[in-house]
Amino acid sequence: MAVDVIMPAMGATQETGRLVRWFKQEGDSVTKGEMLMEVETDKSVVEVEAPASGILAQVTAAPDDDIPVGQTIALIMEPGKAGSASGKSVSPARRRKRNGPASTRKPTKAPAAVAASPAASRRTGRTLASPAAKRLAKEQGLDLASLTGTGPEGAVVARDVPSMAPGAAEAGAGRSVPLSRMRRLIGERMTSSKQTAPHFYLDMEVDMTGVEARRGALKQQGTQPVPSVNDFILEAVGRALAESPAMNASWTDKGIEQHGEVNLGMAVAVDDGLVVPVIRNADKVPLEELALRSRELAAQAQNRKLMPTDYQGGTFTVSNLGMFGVDSFTAIINPPQCAILAVGRVARRVVPRGDDIAIRSMMTMTLSADHRVVDGAIGARFLQRVKQHLEAR
């Protein structure tokens, strides 16, 4: 009996997935539970297990194909019956009947199996590279092996790929960059947010001198990992949201929904866009644990290894560009949330201190909020609470 290999759904709203690679070739023996293929969704790259044991046959999808969720892209046949079946092509009519109104691309053999781990990739001589880097290099006709990787484990990432192929600059030629799945989704969601949510903005300065002193003390104590400035911000925002339920809310067709949990999203820049992994019940997580969790999620995001449960269900988002030297900025609300906090760098400034002046470590935070859900006074009081938690350090 043949078992269908389908494009899996990794999230409730996912409609298609991109096949990154096969770990097996057509005609290879597979074992249930072993890694069969790698699939890219809007926010992650996921390894998919074989649904049964047998022989991989009738492969109808190739790397870089965008495939509707639920579509059959191969079969796993019983060993005794796979010989003849795997050698037969699948007619377009039969494929449409089995898969519905999907692509009628001719069956293409998958590439040779590639080990998934960085160490195994080094042993086989393969060049580690992110999906975005692979696409850019392919578009420009560049050999990945010729590029120096600056990503995790020395992987080639998008920033390592020259913006134009050799000689293009001299010729004055530009290039058209195709939209990635992530870039397209970000564009659609942010456009919708700006068009439907009436944004208003509030700025407030925070004295971070105490936070810097606390971080210095933790370093001397040998704490590992030392919480980053962003970890302190996440902790303060989580506590403030628990004290300000009106800010931990969403606009719905049935009314304003105030969430029972504080699930705090943290914006993480990746090769071709932005993802927002979520720290659940952030108001109850101790600083040391929060520091560990934030690093773990950031690493998974940058390696495109987040699972849907890691980035779904956020109730508020923090976006920090301070590490890039940005003093302040305004962010677009991440729907269906009602607000997002943008924070800039911590910098030494001359500020009033009573009747005198002093040099303090200051940071600007900017709240973008949905006026349908909250008003200015609610947002201002929320910022005051965040400020109080940070300056109490």
Side-chain angles (χ1 to χ4, degrees):
M1 178 179 177
V3 175
D4 288 346
V5 176
I6 66 171
M7 172 57 64
M10 303 298 177
T13 60
Q14 180 188 343
E15 296 181 355
T16 64
R18 186 179 75 89
L19 179 63
V20 177
R21 59 177 169 172
W22 289 99
F23 292 126
K24 295 286 186 177
Q25 295 187 72
E26 186 167 342
D28 283 353
S29 175
V30 300
T31 302
K32 182 178 180 179
E34 75 172 317
M35 295 307 160
L36 180 62
M37 59 183 175
E38 194 172 47
V39 171
E40 180 185 16
T41 67
D42 298 323
K43 301 185 180 180
S44 61
V45 176
V46 181
E47 293 175 345
V48 179
E49 298 178 354
S53 297
I55 304 298
L56 184 65
Q58 297 186 16
V59 175
T60 61
D64 288 330
D65 281 355
D66 272 315
I67 304 159
V69 166
Q71 177 174 316
T72 299
I73 56 177
L75 297 178
I76 296 180
M77 310 286 292
E78 294 179 19
K81 300 179 180 179
S84 58
S86 61
K88 297 178 182 178
S89 62
V90 183
S91 70
R94 181 179 176 185
R95 192 180 305 119
R96 284 195 297 270
K97 181 177 180 181
R98 186 172 72 226
N99 297 334
S103 168
T104 58
R105 177 175 182 147
K106 293 180 181 179
T108 305
K109 278 200 172 186
V114 181
S117 69
S121 297
R122 287 194 296 270
R123 286 197 296 269
T124 59
R126 291 279 188 173
T127 300
L128 283 172
S130 70
K134 291 177 183 177
R135 284 197 296 272
L136 290 173
K138 182 178 179 181
E139 290 164 11
Q140 300 174 45
L142 298 175
D143 181 4
L144 284 170
S146 68
L147 304 176
T148 301
T150 61
E153 300 289 338
V156 177
V157 293
R159 63 174 175 266
D160 302 323
V161 182
S163 59
M164 291 185 290
E170 290 77 5
R175 66 184 179 91
S176 175
V177 180
L179 287 176
S180 67
R181 294 171 56 84
M182 180 181 294
R183 192 75 260 163
R184 185 182 300 276
L185 180 65
I186 291 172
E188 291 171 353
R189 287 175 62 85
M190 294 300 97
T191 299
S192 175
S193 177
K194 286 290 285 186
Q195 289 176 340
T196 59
H199 287 53
F200 72 90
Y201 310 98
L202 301 173
D203 293 328
M204 190 172 288
E205 286 200 334
V206 186
D207 189 335
M208 298 291 283
T209 307
V211 168
E212 290 197 329
R214 177 62 178 155
R215 291 190 71 240
L218 291 172
K219 285 181 182 179
Q220 289 186 342
Q221 293 170 14
T223 301
Q224 291 294 329
V226 176
S228 66
V229 168
N230 199 57
D231 293 328
F232 281 92
I233 295 168
L234 292 172
E235 181 196 40
V237 171
R239 304 297 189 268
L241 286 170
E243 299 160 357
S244 312
M247 293 298 304
N248 194 48
S250 298
W251 174 268
T252 74
D253 292 337
K254 297 180 180 179
I256 296 171
E257 179 184 358
Q258 293 189 357
H259 303 290
E261 295 181 348
V262 175
N263 296 331
L264 190 56
M266 58 175 207
V268 177
V270 294
D271 279 350
D272 52 352
L274 189 73
V275 292
V276 187
V278 175
I279 299 174
R280 304 191 182 280
N281 297 301
D283 57 316
K284 301 173 183 176
V285 179
L287 179 62
E288 293 76 13
E289 183 181 337
L290 192 150
L292 289 169
R293 184 63 177 147
S294 68
R295 281 160 178 74
E296 178 183 88
L297 287 171
Q300 290 173 347
Q302 289 161 354
N303 289 316
R304 303 296 296 275
K305 296 301 181 183
L306 290 173
M307 298 301 291
T309 52
D310 292 326
Y311 54 77
Q312 293 175 348
T315 60
F316 189 97
T317 297
V318 173
S319 181
N320 188 344
L321 291 179
M323 66 287 294
F324 297 105
V326 173
D327 289 313
S328 66
F329 68 105
T330 56
I332 300 174
I333 298 167
N334 185 20
Q337 300 165 20
C338 79
I340 182 171
L341 186 70
V343 294
R345 65 172 178 156
V346 177
R348 303 284 280 175
R349 300 177 196 162
V350 177
V351 297
R353 293 284 287 181
D355 295 330
D356 207 344
I357 60 173
I359 298 177
R360 308 287 289 179
S361 296
M362 304 299 293
M363 179 187 77
T364 301
M365 54 184 182
T366 303
L367 179 71
S368 304
D370 185 344
H371 221 321
R372 298 174 300 176
V373 181
V374 296
D375 298 322
I378 294 173
R381 285 193 289 267
F382 168 73
L383 285 179
Q384 287 176 337
R385 289 188 174 94
V386 176
K387 178 182 175 76
Q388 289 164 1
H389 284 295
L390 288 169
E391 293 184 348
R393 284 292 179 177

